[in-house]
Amino acid sequence: LSKRGKAREAAGAYARALTARPDKVESMVNLAGLRLRAGESDHALVLLERALAARPEAPVVRRALAAARAAAH
């Protein structure tokens, strides 16, 4: 959805996925990316910190968190 210009719908889908499975790291990372592009870096950082706590070994989480931290400053 987000690639088709439907970021709001995509964000809703990821949020629903996280409601059903709060530990789903992929949804956290994807929703964080959408939030970051929407200028909501605080929300993105919270999601990525959760993702890092769940899967500290995941390179995609570490890269996304580093990018979000850089964008927030």
Short mmCIF file of all heavy atoms in Angstrom, two decimals:
data_model
loop_
_atom_site.label_atom_id
_atom_site.label_comp_id
_atom_site.label_asym_id
_atom_site.label_seq_id
_atom_site.Cartn_x
_atom_site.Cartn_y
_atom_site.Cartn_z
N LEU A 1 0.81 -1.22 0.00
CA LEU A 1 0.00 0.00 0.00
C LEU A 1 0.85 1.27 0.00
O LEU A 1 0.54 2.21 -0.71
CB LEU A 1 -0.92 0.01 1.22
CG LEU A 1 -2.09 -0.97 1.22
CD1 LEU A 1 -2.77 -0.99 2.58
CD2 LEU A 1 -3.06 -0.64 0.14
N SER A 2 1.90 1.28 0.81
CA SER A 2 2.70 2.51 0.89
C SER A 2 3.39 2.82 -0.43
O SER A 2 3.59 3.97 -0.76
CB SER A 2 3.71 2.43 2.03
OG SER A 2 4.70 1.47 1.76
N LYS A 3 3.74 1.79 -1.19
CA LYS A 3 4.39 2.01 -2.48
C LYS A 3 3.42 2.53 -3.52
O LYS A 3 3.82 3.06 -4.54
CB LYS A 3 5.05 0.72 -2.97
CG LYS A 3 6.25 0.33 -2.15
CD LYS A 3 6.91 -0.91 -2.68
CE LYS A 3 8.10 -1.25 -1.80
NZ LYS A 3 8.79 -2.43 -2.27
N ARG A 4 2.14 2.39 -3.26
CA ARG A 4 1.12 2.88 -4.18
C ARG A 4 0.55 4.22 -3.74
O ARG A 4 -0.52 4.61 -4.17
CB ARG A 4 0.00 1.86 -4.32
CG ARG A 4 0.46 0.60 -5.05
CD ARG A 4 -0.67 -0.34 -5.28
NE ARG A 4 -0.88 -1.10 -4.05
CZ ARG A 4 -1.92 -1.83 -3.78
NH1 ARG A 4 -2.89 -1.92 -4.64
NH2 ARG A 4 -2.02 -2.49 -2.66
N GLY A 5 1.26 4.90 -2.85
CA GLY A 5 0.81 6.22 -2.41
C GLY A 5 -0.29 6.17 -1.38
O GLY A 5 -1.02 7.14 -1.21
N LYS A 6 -0.43 5.05 -0.72
CA LYS A 6 -1.49 4.90 0.28
C LYS A 6 -0.88 4.70 1.66
O LYS A 6 -1.13 3.71 2.34
CB LYS A 6 -2.39 3.73 -0.10
CG LYS A 6 -3.11 3.95 -1.41
CD LYS A 6 -4.10 2.87 -1.70
CE LYS A 6 -4.83 3.19 -2.99
NZ LYS A 6 -5.92 2.27 -3.24
N ALA A 7 -0.07 5.67 2.06
CA ALA A 7 0.66 5.56 3.33
C ALA A 7 -0.28 5.47 4.52
O ALA A 7 -0.02 4.71 5.45
CB ALA A 7 1.60 6.75 3.49
N ARG A 8 -1.36 6.21 4.49
CA ARG A 8 -2.30 6.19 5.63
C ARG A 8 -2.91 4.80 5.79
O ARG A 8 -3.00 4.27 6.90
CB ARG A 8 -3.40 7.23 5.43
CG ARG A 8 -4.35 7.28 6.62
CD ARG A 8 -5.34 8.40 6.49
NE ARG A 8 -4.61 9.65 6.56
CZ ARG A 8 -5.06 10.81 6.14
NH1 ARG A 8 -6.26 10.90 5.62
NH2 ARG A 8 -4.34 11.90 6.24
N GLU A 9 -3.31 4.20 4.67
CA GLU A 9 -3.89 2.86 4.72
C GLU A 9 -2.85 1.84 5.17
O GLU A 9 -3.13 0.93 5.95
CB GLU A 9 -4.47 2.45 3.37
CG GLU A 9 -5.72 3.23 3.00
CD GLU A 9 -5.41 4.51 2.20
OE1 GLU A 9 -4.25 4.97 2.19
OE2 GLU A 9 -6.34 5.05 1.60
N ALA A 10 -1.62 2.00 4.68
CA ALA A 10 -0.54 1.10 5.08
C ALA A 10 -0.26 1.21 6.57
O ALA A 10 -0.09 0.20 7.26
CB ALA A 10 0.72 1.39 4.27
N ALA A 11 -0.22 2.43 7.08
CA ALA A 11 0.02 2.64 8.51
C ALA A 11 -1.08 1.97 9.33
O ALA A 11 -0.80 1.33 10.35
CB ALA A 11 0.10 4.13 8.83
N GLY A 12 -2.30 2.08 8.87
CA GLY A 12 -3.41 1.43 9.57
C GLY A 12 -3.27 -0.08 9.56
O GLY A 12 -3.52 -0.75 10.56
N ALA A 13 -2.84 -0.63 8.44
CA ALA A 13 -2.65 -2.08 8.34
C ALA A 13 -1.54 -2.55 9.28
O ALA A 13 -1.70 -3.58 9.96
CB ALA A 13 -2.32 -2.46 6.90
N TYR A 14 -0.44 -1.81 9.33
CA TYR A 14 0.64 -2.19 10.24
C TYR A 14 0.20 -2.05 11.70
O TYR A 14 0.54 -2.88 12.53
CB TYR A 14 1.89 -1.35 9.99
CG TYR A 14 2.58 -1.67 8.69
CD1 TYR A 14 2.90 -0.65 7.80
CD2 TYR A 14 2.89 -2.97 8.33
CE1 TYR A 14 3.53 -0.93 6.60
CE2 TYR A 14 3.51 -3.25 7.13
CZ TYR A 14 3.82 -2.23 6.27
OH TYR A 14 4.45 -2.51 5.08
N ALA A 15 -0.55 -1.01 12.01
CA ALA A 15 -1.04 -0.83 13.38
C ALA A 15 -1.97 -1.98 13.77
O ALA A 15 -1.88 -2.50 14.89
CB ALA A 15 -1.75 0.52 13.51
N ARG A 16 -2.82 -2.40 12.85
CA ARG A 16 -3.71 -3.53 13.13
C ARG A 16 -2.90 -4.82 13.31
O ARG A 16 -3.20 -5.63 14.20
CB ARG A 16 -4.75 -3.70 12.03
CG ARG A 16 -5.84 -2.65 12.06
CD ARG A 16 -6.97 -2.94 11.09
NE ARG A 16 -6.53 -2.97 9.70
CZ ARG A 16 -6.33 -1.90 8.93
NH1 ARG A 16 -6.53 -0.69 9.43
NH2 ARG A 16 -5.94 -2.02 7.67
N ALA A 17 -1.87 -4.98 12.51
CA ALA A 17 -1.02 -6.16 12.65
C ALA A 17 -0.35 -6.18 14.02
O ALA A 17 -0.23 -7.23 14.65
CB ALA A 17 0.03 -6.18 11.54
N LEU A 18 0.06 -5.01 14.49
CA LEU A 18 0.70 -4.93 15.80
C LEU A 18 -0.29 -5.14 16.93
O LEU A 18 0.09 -5.62 18.00
CB LEU A 18 1.43 -3.60 15.96
CG LEU A 18 2.72 -3.50 15.16
CD1 LEU A 18 3.27 -2.08 15.22
CD2 LEU A 18 3.75 -4.50 15.68
N THR A 19 -1.54 -4.80 16.71
CA THR A 19 -2.56 -5.07 17.71
C THR A 19 -2.75 -6.58 17.85
O THR A 19 -2.86 -7.10 18.96
CB THR A 19 -3.89 -4.40 17.33
OG1 THR A 19 -3.69 -2.98 17.30
CG2 THR A 19 -4.99 -4.72 18.33
N ALA A 20 -2.75 -7.26 16.71
CA ALA A 20 -2.92 -8.71 16.72
C ALA A 20 -1.66 -9.42 17.22
O ALA A 20 -1.76 -10.42 17.93
CB ALA A 20 -3.29 -9.20 15.32
N ARG A 21 -0.50 -8.91 16.81
CA ARG A 21 0.78 -9.51 17.20
C ARG A 21 1.77 -8.41 17.59
O ARG A 21 2.54 -7.94 16.77
CB ARG A 21 1.34 -10.33 16.04
CG ARG A 21 0.53 -11.59 15.79
CD ARG A 21 1.20 -12.59 14.89
NE ARG A 21 2.59 -12.84 15.23
CZ ARG A 21 3.49 -13.22 14.33
NH1 ARG A 21 3.17 -13.37 13.08
NH2 ARG A 21 4.73 -13.45 14.69
N PRO A 22 1.71 -7.98 18.84
CA PRO A 22 2.56 -6.87 19.29
C PRO A 22 4.05 -7.11 19.16
O PRO A 22 4.84 -6.18 19.22
CB PRO A 22 2.17 -6.68 20.75
CG PRO A 22 0.97 -7.50 20.98
CD PRO A 22 0.85 -8.49 19.88
N ASP A 23 4.46 -8.36 18.98
CA ASP A 23 5.88 -8.69 18.88
C ASP A 23 6.36 -8.78 17.44
O ASP A 23 7.51 -9.13 17.20
CB ASP A 23 6.14 -10.02 19.59
CG ASP A 23 5.36 -11.17 18.96
OD1 ASP A 23 4.31 -10.93 18.32
OD2 ASP A 23 5.79 -12.33 19.12
N LYS A 24 5.55 -8.44 16.48
CA LYS A 24 5.90 -8.57 15.06
C LYS A 24 6.85 -7.44 14.64
O LYS A 24 6.44 -6.33 14.33
CB LYS A 24 4.65 -8.58 14.19
CG LYS A 24 4.93 -8.94 12.76
CD LYS A 24 3.67 -9.42 12.08
CE LYS A 24 3.88 -9.67 10.61
NZ LYS A 24 4.78 -10.75 10.31
N VAL A 25 8.12 -7.76 14.64
CA VAL A 25 9.17 -6.77 14.39
C VAL A 25 9.06 -6.14 13.01
O VAL A 25 9.26 -4.93 12.85
CB VAL A 25 10.56 -7.41 14.62
CG1 VAL A 25 11.67 -6.49 14.16
CG2 VAL A 25 10.73 -7.78 16.08
N GLU A 26 8.73 -6.93 12.01
CA GLU A 26 8.61 -6.39 10.65
C GLU A 26 7.57 -5.28 10.58
O GLU A 26 7.79 -4.25 9.93
CB GLU A 26 8.28 -7.50 9.66
CG GLU A 26 9.39 -8.50 9.47
CD GLU A 26 9.45 -9.57 10.58
OE1 GLU A 26 8.54 -9.62 11.45
OE2 GLU A 26 10.42 -10.34 10.58
N SER A 27 6.45 -5.48 11.27
CA SER A 27 5.42 -4.44 11.29
C SER A 27 5.90 -3.19 12.02
O SER A 27 5.60 -2.07 11.60
CB SER A 27 4.14 -4.96 11.94
OG SER A 27 3.58 -5.99 11.15
N MET A 28 6.65 -3.38 13.10
CA MET A 28 7.20 -2.23 13.83
C MET A 28 8.12 -1.42 12.93
O MET A 28 8.02 -0.18 12.88
CB MET A 28 7.98 -2.70 15.06
CG MET A 28 7.15 -3.22 16.18
SD MET A 28 8.23 -3.68 17.57
CE MET A 28 7.60 -5.29 17.95
N VAL A 29 9.01 -2.11 12.23
CA VAL A 29 9.98 -1.42 11.36
C VAL A 29 9.26 -0.71 10.22
O VAL A 29 9.56 0.45 9.90
CB VAL A 29 11.04 -2.41 10.84
CG1 VAL A 29 11.92 -1.76 9.78
CG2 VAL A 29 11.90 -2.92 11.99
N ASN A 30 8.32 -1.40 9.60
CA ASN A 30 7.60 -0.78 8.48
C ASN A 30 6.76 0.41 8.92
O ASN A 30 6.74 1.45 8.25
CB ASN A 30 6.73 -1.83 7.79
CG ASN A 30 7.55 -2.85 7.04
OD1 ASN A 30 8.65 -2.57 6.60
ND2 ASN A 30 7.02 -4.05 6.92
N LEU A 31 6.06 0.28 10.04
CA LEU A 31 5.26 1.39 10.54
C LEU A 31 6.18 2.55 10.94
O LEU A 31 5.87 3.72 10.67
CB LEU A 31 4.40 0.96 11.71
CG LEU A 31 3.49 2.02 12.32
CD1 LEU A 31 2.59 2.67 11.27
CD2 LEU A 31 2.65 1.42 13.45
N ALA A 32 7.31 2.23 11.54
CA ALA A 32 8.26 3.29 11.91
C ALA A 32 8.74 4.05 10.68
O ALA A 32 8.85 5.28 10.71
CB ALA A 32 9.45 2.69 12.65
N GLY A 33 8.99 3.34 9.60
CA GLY A 33 9.41 4.01 8.36
C GLY A 33 8.35 4.96 7.84
O GLY A 33 8.66 6.08 7.41
N LEU A 34 7.10 4.53 7.91
CA LEU A 34 6.01 5.42 7.48
C LEU A 34 5.90 6.64 8.40
O LEU A 34 5.69 7.76 7.94
CB LEU A 34 4.68 4.65 7.47
CG LEU A 34 4.54 3.61 6.37
CD1 LEU A 34 3.28 2.77 6.61
CD2 LEU A 34 4.48 4.26 5.01
N ARG A 35 6.01 6.40 9.70
CA ARG A 35 5.93 7.51 10.66
C ARG A 35 7.09 8.49 10.44
O ARG A 35 6.89 9.70 10.51
CB ARG A 35 5.95 6.99 12.09
CG ARG A 35 4.77 6.16 12.47
CD ARG A 35 3.51 6.97 12.43
NE ARG A 35 2.39 6.21 12.92
CZ ARG A 35 1.16 6.31 12.45
NH1 ARG A 35 0.90 7.15 11.46
NH2 ARG A 35 0.19 5.59 12.95
N LEU A 36 8.25 7.96 10.16
CA LEU A 36 9.42 8.81 9.93
C LEU A 36 9.20 9.68 8.69
O LEU A 36 9.45 10.88 8.71
CB LEU A 36 10.66 7.95 9.77
CG LEU A 36 11.99 8.65 9.88
CD1 LEU A 36 12.13 9.36 11.21
CD2 LEU A 36 13.11 7.63 9.71
N ARG A 37 8.70 9.08 7.61
CA ARG A 37 8.43 9.85 6.39
C ARG A 37 7.33 10.88 6.59
O ARG A 37 7.29 11.89 5.89
CB ARG A 37 8.08 8.90 5.25
CG ARG A 37 9.31 8.17 4.71
CD ARG A 37 9.03 7.40 3.44
NE ARG A 37 8.21 6.22 3.62
CZ ARG A 37 8.63 5.06 4.10
NH1 ARG A 37 9.88 4.92 4.48
NH2 ARG A 37 7.82 4.03 4.20
N ALA A 38 6.46 10.63 7.57
CA ALA A 38 5.38 11.58 7.87
C ALA A 38 5.84 12.67 8.84
O ALA A 38 5.04 13.52 9.24
CB ALA A 38 4.17 10.84 8.44
N GLY A 39 7.12 12.63 9.23
CA GLY A 39 7.64 13.64 10.14
C GLY A 39 7.37 13.33 11.61
O GLY A 39 7.52 14.20 12.46
N GLU A 40 6.99 12.12 11.91
CA GLU A 40 6.68 11.70 13.28
C GLU A 40 7.84 10.89 13.84
O GLU A 40 7.70 9.71 14.17
CB GLU A 40 5.39 10.89 13.30
CG GLU A 40 4.18 11.66 12.77
CD GLU A 40 2.95 10.80 12.62
OE1 GLU A 40 2.90 9.68 13.19
OE2 GLU A 40 2.03 11.23 11.93
N SER A 41 8.99 11.54 13.96
CA SER A 41 10.20 10.81 14.37
C SER A 41 10.11 10.26 15.79
O SER A 41 10.65 9.19 16.07
CB SER A 41 11.43 11.69 14.22
OG SER A 41 11.32 12.87 14.98
N ASP A 42 9.41 10.95 16.68
CA ASP A 42 9.27 10.44 18.06
C ASP A 42 8.57 9.09 18.06
O ASP A 42 9.00 8.15 18.74
CB ASP A 42 8.53 11.43 18.95
CG ASP A 42 9.34 12.67 19.26
OD1 ASP A 42 10.57 12.63 19.06
OD2 ASP A 42 8.75 13.66 19.70
N HIS A 43 7.48 9.00 17.33
CA HIS A 43 6.74 7.74 17.25
C HIS A 43 7.58 6.66 16.59
O HIS A 43 7.60 5.51 17.04
CB HIS A 43 5.43 7.95 16.50
CG HIS A 43 4.49 6.80 16.58
ND1 HIS A 43 3.35 6.72 15.85
CD2 HIS A 43 4.52 5.65 17.31
CE1 HIS A 43 2.72 5.59 16.12
NE2 HIS A 43 3.42 4.93 16.99
N ALA A 44 8.29 7.02 15.54
CA ALA A 44 9.16 6.07 14.85
C ALA A 44 10.23 5.53 15.80
O ALA A 44 10.49 4.32 15.83
CB ALA A 44 9.80 6.72 13.64
N LEU A 45 10.82 6.41 16.58
CA LEU A 45 11.87 5.97 17.51
C LEU A 45 11.33 5.01 18.56
O LEU A 45 11.99 4.02 18.90
CB LEU A 45 12.52 7.18 18.17
CG LEU A 45 13.45 7.99 17.26
CD1 LEU A 45 13.82 9.31 17.91
CD2 LEU A 45 14.68 7.18 16.90
N VAL A 46 10.13 5.27 19.06
CA VAL A 46 9.53 4.37 20.06
C VAL A 46 9.34 2.98 19.45
O VAL A 46 9.67 1.95 20.06
CB VAL A 46 8.19 4.94 20.58
CG1 VAL A 46 7.42 3.90 21.37
CG2 VAL A 46 8.44 6.18 21.42
N LEU A 47 8.80 2.93 18.24
CA LEU A 47 8.58 1.65 17.58
C LEU A 47 9.90 0.91 17.35
O LEU A 47 9.99 -0.30 17.57
CB LEU A 47 7.88 1.86 16.23
CG LEU A 47 6.41 2.23 16.31
CD1 LEU A 47 5.94 2.79 14.98
CD2 LEU A 47 5.59 1.01 16.70
N LEU A 48 10.91 1.64 16.92
CA LEU A 48 12.19 1.00 16.63
C LEU A 48 12.92 0.55 17.89
O LEU A 48 13.62 -0.47 17.88
CB LEU A 48 13.05 1.92 15.78
CG LEU A 48 12.50 2.11 14.37
CD1 LEU A 48 13.21 3.24 13.65
CD2 LEU A 48 12.58 0.81 13.57
N GLU A 49 12.76 1.27 18.97
CA GLU A 49 13.34 0.83 20.25
C GLU A 49 12.67 -0.47 20.69
O GLU A 49 13.33 -1.39 21.20
CB GLU A 49 13.19 1.91 21.33
CG GLU A 49 14.04 3.13 21.10
CD GLU A 49 15.52 2.91 21.32
OE1 GLU A 49 15.93 1.87 21.88
OE2 GLU A 49 16.31 3.78 20.91
N ARG A 50 11.35 -0.58 20.49
CA ARG A 50 10.64 -1.83 20.80
C ARG A 50 11.15 -2.96 19.93
O ARG A 50 11.34 -4.09 20.38
CB ARG A 50 9.13 -1.66 20.56
CG ARG A 50 8.39 -1.04 21.70
CD ARG A 50 6.90 -0.91 21.45
NE ARG A 50 6.26 -2.10 20.89
CZ ARG A 50 5.15 -2.07 20.18
NH1 ARG A 50 4.53 -0.92 19.94
NH2 ARG A 50 4.63 -3.18 19.71
N ALA A 51 11.34 -2.67 18.65
CA ALA A 51 11.83 -3.68 17.72
C ALA A 51 13.23 -4.15 18.12
O ALA A 51 13.53 -5.34 18.09
CB ALA A 51 11.82 -3.13 16.30
N LEU A 52 14.07 -3.21 18.52
CA LEU A 52 15.43 -3.55 18.95
C LEU A 52 15.40 -4.42 20.20
O LEU A 52 16.17 -5.38 20.31
CB LEU A 52 16.25 -2.29 19.19
CG LEU A 52 17.70 -2.52 19.56
CD1 LEU A 52 18.45 -3.19 18.41
CD2 LEU A 52 18.36 -1.20 19.94
N ALA A 53 14.53 -4.12 21.13
CA ALA A 53 14.41 -4.93 22.35
C ALA A 53 13.96 -6.35 22.01
O ALA A 53 14.42 -7.32 22.63
CB ALA A 53 13.43 -4.28 23.32
N ALA A 54 13.10 -6.48 21.01
CA ALA A 54 12.59 -7.79 20.62
C ALA A 54 13.61 -8.59 19.82
O ALA A 54 13.71 -9.81 19.98
CB ALA A 54 11.31 -7.64 19.82
N ARG A 55 14.37 -7.91 18.95
CA ARG A 55 15.33 -8.60 18.09
C ARG A 55 16.62 -7.80 17.96
O ARG A 55 16.90 -7.21 16.92
CB ARG A 55 14.74 -8.86 16.71
CG ARG A 55 13.69 -9.93 16.72
CD ARG A 55 13.63 -10.88 15.56
NE ARG A 55 14.17 -10.49 14.31
CZ ARG A 55 13.45 -10.35 13.19
NH1 ARG A 55 12.15 -10.53 13.20
NH2 ARG A 55 14.04 -10.04 12.06
N PRO A 56 17.42 -7.76 19.02
CA PRO A 56 18.63 -6.94 19.01
C PRO A 56 19.65 -7.38 17.96
O PRO A 56 20.52 -6.59 17.58
CB PRO A 56 19.19 -7.10 20.42
CG PRO A 56 18.57 -8.34 20.96
CD PRO A 56 17.23 -8.48 20.27
N GLU A 57 19.55 -8.61 17.48
CA GLU A 57 20.51 -9.10 16.50
C GLU A 57 20.15 -8.76 15.06
O GLU A 57 20.94 -8.98 14.15
CB GLU A 57 20.65 -10.64 16.63
CG GLU A 57 19.48 -11.43 16.06
CD GLU A 57 18.17 -11.38 16.84
OE1 GLU A 57 18.13 -10.85 17.97
OE2 GLU A 57 17.17 -11.88 16.31
N ALA A 58 18.96 -8.19 14.84
CA ALA A 58 18.47 -7.95 13.48
C ALA A 58 19.11 -6.69 12.87
O ALA A 58 18.87 -5.58 13.34
CB ALA A 58 16.96 -7.81 13.48
N PRO A 59 19.91 -6.86 11.81
CA PRO A 59 20.56 -5.70 11.18
C PRO A 59 19.56 -4.67 10.66
O PRO A 59 19.81 -3.47 10.74
CB PRO A 59 21.36 -6.31 10.04
CG PRO A 59 21.53 -7.74 10.38
CD PRO A 59 20.32 -8.11 11.19
N VAL A 60 18.43 -5.12 10.15
CA VAL A 60 17.44 -4.18 9.60
C VAL A 60 16.92 -3.25 10.70
O VAL A 60 16.69 -2.07 10.46
CB VAL A 60 16.29 -4.91 8.88
CG1 VAL A 60 15.43 -5.71 9.84
CG2 VAL A 60 15.45 -3.94 8.09
N VAL A 61 16.77 -3.77 11.89
CA VAL A 61 16.30 -2.95 13.02
C VAL A 61 17.37 -1.93 13.39
O VAL A 61 17.07 -0.74 13.56
CB VAL A 61 15.92 -3.82 14.23
CG1 VAL A 61 15.56 -2.96 15.42
CG2 VAL A 61 14.77 -4.76 13.88
N ARG A 62 18.60 -2.37 13.46
CA ARG A 62 19.70 -1.46 13.83
C ARG A 62 19.87 -0.35 12.79
O ARG A 62 20.07 0.81 13.14
CB ARG A 62 21.00 -2.23 14.00
CG ARG A 62 20.96 -3.15 15.21
CD ARG A 62 22.30 -3.84 15.40
NE ARG A 62 22.32 -4.55 16.66
CZ ARG A 62 22.52 -3.97 17.85
NH1 ARG A 62 22.73 -2.69 17.92
NH2 ARG A 62 22.51 -4.70 18.94
N ARG A 63 19.78 -0.71 11.51
CA ARG A 63 19.91 0.31 10.45
C ARG A 63 18.75 1.31 10.51
O ARG A 63 18.95 2.51 10.38
CB ARG A 63 19.95 -0.36 9.07
CG ARG A 63 21.28 -0.96 8.74
CD ARG A 63 21.36 -1.36 7.27
NE ARG A 63 20.33 -2.31 6.88
CZ ARG A 63 20.45 -3.63 6.96
NH1 ARG A 63 21.54 -4.18 7.42
NH2 ARG A 63 19.46 -4.41 6.56
N ALA A 64 17.54 0.79 10.69
CA ALA A 64 16.37 1.67 10.74
C ALA A 64 16.46 2.61 11.94
O ALA A 64 16.13 3.80 11.83
CB ALA A 64 15.09 0.84 10.77
N LEU A 65 16.89 2.09 13.06
CA LEU A 65 17.01 2.92 14.26
C LEU A 65 18.07 3.99 14.08
O LEU A 65 17.85 5.15 14.44
CB LEU A 65 17.32 2.04 15.49
CG LEU A 65 17.38 2.75 16.83
CD1 LEU A 65 16.10 3.52 17.13
CD2 LEU A 65 17.66 1.75 17.93
N ALA A 66 19.19 3.64 13.48
CA ALA A 66 20.24 4.63 13.24
C ALA A 66 19.74 5.73 12.31
O ALA A 66 19.99 6.92 12.53
CB ALA A 66 21.47 3.95 12.65
N ALA A 67 19.01 5.35 11.27
CA ALA A 67 18.47 6.33 10.33
C ALA A 67 17.45 7.23 11.02
O ALA A 67 17.42 8.45 10.79
CB ALA A 67 17.84 5.63 9.13
N ALA A 68 16.61 6.65 11.86
CA ALA A 68 15.58 7.44 12.56
C ALA A 68 16.23 8.41 13.54
O ALA A 68 15.80 9.57 13.65
CB ALA A 68 14.61 6.52 13.29
N ARG A 69 17.26 7.96 14.23
CA ARG A 69 17.97 8.85 15.16
C ARG A 69 18.62 10.01 14.40
O ARG A 69 18.59 11.15 14.86
CB ARG A 69 19.00 8.08 15.95
CG ARG A 69 18.39 7.20 17.02
CD ARG A 69 19.44 6.41 17.75
NE ARG A 69 18.85 5.66 18.85
CZ ARG A 69 19.40 4.58 19.38
NH1 ARG A 69 20.56 4.11 18.91
NH2 ARG A 69 18.80 3.94 20.36
N ALA A 70 19.21 9.71 13.26
CA ALA A 70 19.84 10.76 12.47
C ALA A 70 18.80 11.76 11.95
O ALA A 70 19.04 12.98 11.95
CB ALA A 70 20.60 10.14 11.29
N ALA A 71 17.66 11.27 11.55
CA ALA A 71 16.60 12.14 11.03
C ALA A 71 15.98 12.99 12.13
O ALA A 71 15.51 14.11 11.86
CB ALA A 71 15.52 11.31 10.35
N ALA A 72 16.01 12.49 13.36
CA ALA A 72 15.39 13.21 14.47
C ALA A 72 16.23 14.41 14.91
O ALA A 72 15.73 15.31 15.56
CB ALA A 72 15.17 12.28 15.65
N HIS A 73 17.50 14.43 14.53
CA HIS A 73 18.39 15.52 14.97
C HIS A 73 18.71 16.48 13.88
O HIS A 73 18.57 16.51 12.82
CB HIS A 73 19.68 14.96 15.53
CG HIS A 73 19.46 14.14 16.76
ND1 HIS A 73 18.84 14.62 17.88
CD2 HIS A 73 19.72 12.83 17.01
CE1 HIS A 73 18.77 13.66 18.79
NE2 HIS A 73 19.29 12.56 18.28
#
